[in-house]
Amino acid sequence: MRQMAVITPYAQFLFQFVSDSPEKNVTIRFTRRTDIMPSVPLETKYHPSAVDILLIKRLITETSKQTLLQFLQHEFVNIGKSHAERLIGEMGPDFSPKMSVKSLTPQQIVRIHQLFRQAKFDDPSGDILSPAGEYNLRLGIIKELHPDMVATFSGSAQVFEGHPFIVEAGVSVGGKDVKQVRISLMVKYIKHGERNMLSPETDCVYSLCCISNVRSKGPVRMHLYLHLISS
């Protein structure tokens, strides 16, 4: 919960454990320090460079579009009508813009996936992501760790294999002790195509964070904080 409190200084958390023995009761409270919240993550469609064969099959099963041309246009980002027509032309003589997308054979789906991996597409937008922001990251570290010095950084959106991502980092010196932890899953913000703020699905925009400690020879302790937001 402390990791969550660092990355969300605009939220208040209360944990209570009530035991049969009153002396064993536990109450932990993380208070709010700001009302400034990150922008809400946006719903998005899949980027063609980021899908696999199983996902293409699932999209074909779930789509309401009738033709292959409509399917490519409306189920993926960065594929307009003219681009979709060129892609279909490169798929081979067994494909046509007006063919039923539901009639695609497994071999044809494999061909679509191969072309998605080979073709060039515009990068997806990083505007769908919801970074904590340098202000909130800095405020959260100060609120929970009370360091002597702190520095934070929030990078611009980058892209890897069709997935936009943003890296945020913070480092502080001194302050409260923090138990060493490995990387841990924090929040999965949004499922592609529908709002789902705490989805257990793997195809979500998600947030990862980790805190680690570096001991010096003296009493000074350094805290490193990494926040990765991606789709």
Side-chain angles (χ1 to χ4, degrees), residues 154-203:
S154 182
S156 58
Q158 305 295 319
V159 177
F160 178 74
E161 293 188 350
H163 294 280
F165 68 91
I166 295 175
V167 175
E168 299 177 309
V171 58
S172 64
V173 177
K176 289 184 178 180
D177 191 10
V178 178
K179 293 181 179 180
Q180 185 172 354
V181 297
R182 293 185 180 275
I183 197 163
S184 60
L185 186 62
M186 287 282 290
V187 178
K188 291 183 175 181
Y189 286 122
I190 185 170
K191 183 178 179 181
H192 287 275
E194 64 182 68
R195 188 64 52 81
N196 196 344
M197 295 302 289
L198 290 174
S199 170
E201 299 288 339
T202 57
D203 53 347

Side-chain angles (χ1 to χ4, degrees), residues 20-33:
D20 294 334
S21 302
E23 64 274 9
K24 295 182 179 180
N25 291 348
V26 176
T27 298
I28 302 175
R29 184 187 301 273
F30 297 92
T31 58
R32 179 188 296 113
R33 281 290 302 274

Side-chain angles (χ1 to χ4, degrees), residues 37-230:
M37 296 181 62
S39 58
V40 177
L42 303 178
E43 299 177 3
T44 184
K45 299 174 184 177
Y46 290 97
H47 191 276
S49 299
V51 298
D52 57 21
I53 294 176
L54 292 178
L55 183 51
I56 295 174
K57 289 181 178 179
R58 195 187 84 186
L59 292 175
I60 290 173
T61 301
E62 297 176 352
T63 187
S64 60
K65 305 305 176 183
Q66 300 298 316
T67 67
L68 178 58
L69 179 63
Q70 293 172 336
F71 173 73
L72 295 178
Q73 278 185 259
H74 297 283
E75 297 296 341
F76 301 95
V77 296
N78 297 347
I79 299 183
K81 182 177 180 180
S82 60
H83 195 178
E85 290 173 339
R86 292 199 306 271
L87 288 172
I88 294 172
E90 294 180 19
M91 290 177 188
D94 295 333
F95 296 85
S96 68
K98 294 184 179 181
M99 71 181 299
S100 172
V101 68
K102 303 288 187 180
S103 68
L104 290 171
T105 65
Q107 292 76 17
Q108 289 175 318
I109 294 175
V110 170
R111 174 56 185 149
I112 293 174
H113 178 254
Q114 290 175 341
L115 189 59
F116 279 175
R117 304 299 293 181
Q118 297 168 358
K120 298 294 184 181
F121 300 94
D122 291 338
D123 288 339
S125 172
D127 294 340
I128 65 170
L129 303 177
S130 180
E134 193 169 357
Y135 172 82
N136 278 333
L137 182 58
R138 182 182 183 88
L139 183 61
I141 293 174
I142 293 174
K143 178 173 73 78
E144 294 301 325
L145 305 182
H146 302 284
D148 299 319
M149 293 183 290
V150 60
T152 54
F153 171 79
S154 182
S156 58
Q158 305 295 319
V159 177
F160 178 74
E161 293 188 350
H163 294 280
F165 68 91
I166 295 175
V167 175
E168 299 177 309
V171 58
S172 64
V173 177
K176 289 184 178 180
D177 191 10
V178 178
K179 293 181 179 180
Q180 185 172 354
V181 297
R182 293 185 180 275
I183 197 163
S184 60
L185 186 62
M186 287 282 290
V187 178
K188 291 183 175 181
Y189 286 122
I190 185 170
K191 183 178 179 181
H192 287 275
E194 64 182 68
R195 188 64 52 81
N196 196 344
M197 295 302 289
L198 290 174
S199 170
E201 299 288 339
T202 57
D203 53 347
C204 301
V205 175
Y206 57 86
S207 171
L208 295 174
C209 80
C210 67
I211 298 178
S212 62
N213 302 327
V214 180
R215 287 186 180 275
S216 67
K217 294 181 179 180
V220 177
R221 183 177 293 272
M222 179 181 292
H223 307 285
L224 304 177
Y225 203 95
L226 174 66
H227 188 220
L228 170 64
I229 311 97
S230 183

